[in-house]
Amino acid sequence: MNAPDERRDGRYDVPLKVAAPGAEPARANGHHPATPDEPDPAATDEAVAAPAPAGGPAVPDRPGDHWDRKVAKGLAFLRRRLSGDYEVDEFGFDPDITEAVFHPLLRMLYRDWFRTEVAGLEHVPAEGAGLVVGNHSGTVALDALILSAALHDQHPARRYLRLLGADLVFRMPVVSEIARKTGGTVACNPDAERLLGNGELVGVFPEGFKGIGKLYSDRYKLQRFGRGGFVSAALRTGTPIVPVAIVGGEEIYPMLADIKPLARLLKLPYFPVTPTFPLLGPLGAVPLPSKWLIEFCPPIPTAHLMDSADDPLVVFNLADQVRETIQQTLHQLLERRPDPFGP
C-alpha cells in the first residue's frame, strides 16, 4: 500500500506507520499486513470510512450508529416518562409505553418466533370505528396480543386494536395494569359502545375461556359465541364487523388435559396439562414455535340494522354469520398450512 494521501477517492485513509528498512512487518492478529503489491484481502469497499465531503457519495453508518440510535431513543423515552410528557386516555390506554415497551417484545414473537403472515388488511377500516371479531385458542391468550401488535405494525394507518378482556384479566395484579396500559378494557357493552362511539378499532373474542381452554383434540373448532353481546354493540353504533381467523395459536400450548379440581381450588377457569407443563415447570411457559396465519375477512355492515339492536333473532343470525365466516376461513388457512411447525 502506498503512503496515504490526505484524501483519495472521496475517502480519508488512516495514516500508516513506516517501518525501519529491513525490519520485519508488524503483525496484527497473527498476520502480516498487506504489501503494496499484495492488497489486503480483508479490506473491502464496505469498510467504514469518515463522512465524505458535501456532495460526495453517501457513506454507510458506522457499526455503532445503530446502537447509538437505540440508546438515544431509550433516553428520550425515559425523559418523556419522567417529565410526564405523554397522554393516557379515560380507559388507561398509554400509546407511548405500548409502542416503546410492549410492541417490540410482541414483534419478536409474531415476526421471528411464530413467523406470522397477515392477509386481508385492506378489510380493516383506515379510520373510524370497526369491530374485529376473532377465534380464541392457545391455553394462554397470546392470540389477542399477537393480533393487536401485527395489526398495528402492518396496517397502513398503524391502528391500535382496543381489546375487550374477561373480568378475570382485570382482577389479576400486574396483568390488569398491563392490559389497561396497552388499551384493553372489560368486555361489557357500555365500554365497547363507548370505544366504538369514539371511532376506535375494537377487538373481541366471543368464545372467551371456552375457546382458549379447549383440548387440543378440539383445535380449530369454534365454540359457542355466547349471547352475541358484541353484535348488539356493533348494531347500536352502526359499526362494521370484521371477522378474523387466526391459525397457529392452538399449537403453542397444546392442552392434553384439564385438572378441574385443581382449577376450582385455584379459582381458575381451567388448569392445563400440556406436553411441557407442569412437567418442565417454568420452562413450560415457553410457547412452541408454530407457524401463524392471520386473515381479515370482508367487513359485515350493520348501519342498516341499527333499529334491530334489541331484536334477539337479528342478533343471533348476525352472530352466526360471523362465526360461520371465521370457521370457513380457518379451514382454508389450515389447507394452506399443512405443517404446523413449517417455515
Side-chain angles (χ1 to χ4, degrees):
M1 181 179 294
N2 296 327
D5 297 327
E6 183 70 14
R7 182 184 302 169
R8 187 182 67 221
D9 297 333
R11 301 189 304 177
Y12 293 98
D13 291 326
V14 179
L16 301 177
K17 292 183 179 180
V18 180
E24 181 181 1
R27 293 176 178 268
N29 297 326
H31 296 282
H32 290 291
T35 63
D37 298 328
E38 182 184 1
D40 187 354
T44 67
D45 291 338
E46 298 177 358
V48 177
V59 178
D61 290 337
R62 293 185 177 91
D65 287 350
H66 174 68
W67 291 105
D68 290 345
R69 286 194 298 271
K70 282 186 172 295
V71 171
K73 189 175 180 181
L75 291 175
F77 170 72
L78 291 176
R79 185 165 54 248
R80 288 195 305 273
R81 305 307 296 186
L82 293 174
S83 64
D85 187 18
Y86 58 92
E87 295 183 357
V88 177
D89 72 4
E90 58 182 320
F91 294 92
F93 176 44
D94 188 338
D96 185 53
I97 200 171
T98 297
E99 285 206 32
V101 178
F102 298 113
H103 276 181
L105 297 174
L106 292 171
R107 191 173 296 123
M108 288 190 295
L109 269 181
Y110 88 75
R111 186 180 60 190
D112 302 325
W113 190 249
F114 296 136
R115 308 171 305 286
T116 306
E117 296 180 13
V118 182
L121 281 168
E122 67 276 7
H123 299 310
V124 179
E127 58 183 13
L131 184 63
V132 178
V133 182
N135 59 296
H136 225 7
S137 62
T139 306
V140 177
L142 278 182
D143 49 7
L145 302 177
I146 295 297
L147 178 66
S148 63
L151 174 60
H152 176 265
D153 284 358
Q154 300 193 25
H155 193 279
R158 296 183 65 81
R159 301 204 64 182
Y160 293 106
L161 185 64
R162 309 297 297 273
L163 295 170
L164 303 180
D167 293 346
L168 177 63
V169 174
F170 297 95
R171 292 200 304 265
M172 299 171 65
V174 181
V175 174
S176 173
E177 289 296 319
I178 293 175
R180 290 287 185 186
K181 291 290 186 183
T182 54
T185 189
V186 180
C188 63
N189 273 31
D191 281 6
E193 291 174 23
R194 192 156 42 140
L195 284 169
L196 293 173
N198 293 338
E200 299 285 356
L201 197 63
V202 178
V204 63
F205 295 83
E207 293 174 281
F209 288 120
K210 297 189 301 293
I212 58 176
K214 63 180 178 289
L215 297 177
Y216 186 64
S217 58
D218 295 325
R219 60 192 179 278
Y220 300 115
K221 297 177 183 178
L222 289 185
Q223 306 300 297
R224 193 171 63 88
F225 268 19
R227 301 178 181 178
F230 71 96
V231 173
S232 299
L235 291 175
R236 288 193 175 92
T237 56
T239 301
I241 299 174
V242 182
V244 59
I246 305 172
V247 162
E250 298 279 16
E251 291 86 14
I252 59 173
Y253 301 111
M255 187 186 293
L256 306 179
D258 175 14
I259 306 178
K260 296 185 183 298
L262 192 54
R264 285 193 295 270
L265 179 64
L266 299 175
K267 297 182 179 180
L268 296 174
Y270 52 86
F271 189 91
V273 175
T274 74
T276 59
F277 181 85
L279 179 63
L280 299 183
L283 287 177
V286 178
L288 298 179
S290 57
K291 170 71 176 179
W292 284 46
L293 301 176
I294 299 176
E295 182 164 340
F296 294 91
C297 305
I300 301 172
T302 64
H304 63 292
L305 296 172
M306 291 182 66
D307 295 335
S308 304
D310 296 320
D311 187 335
L313 184 60
V314 173
V315 171
F316 175 80
N317 287 338
L318 192 53
D320 192 57
Q321 179 183 352
V322 174
R323 184 180 181 278
E324 187 62 25
T325 300
I326 296 173
Q327 185 67 77
Q328 293 301 322
T329 307
L330 286 174
H331 293 322
Q332 296 170 10
L333 293 178
L334 288 170
E335 290 179 359
R336 284 172 43 194
R337 193 210 63 163
D339 182 3
F341 299 96

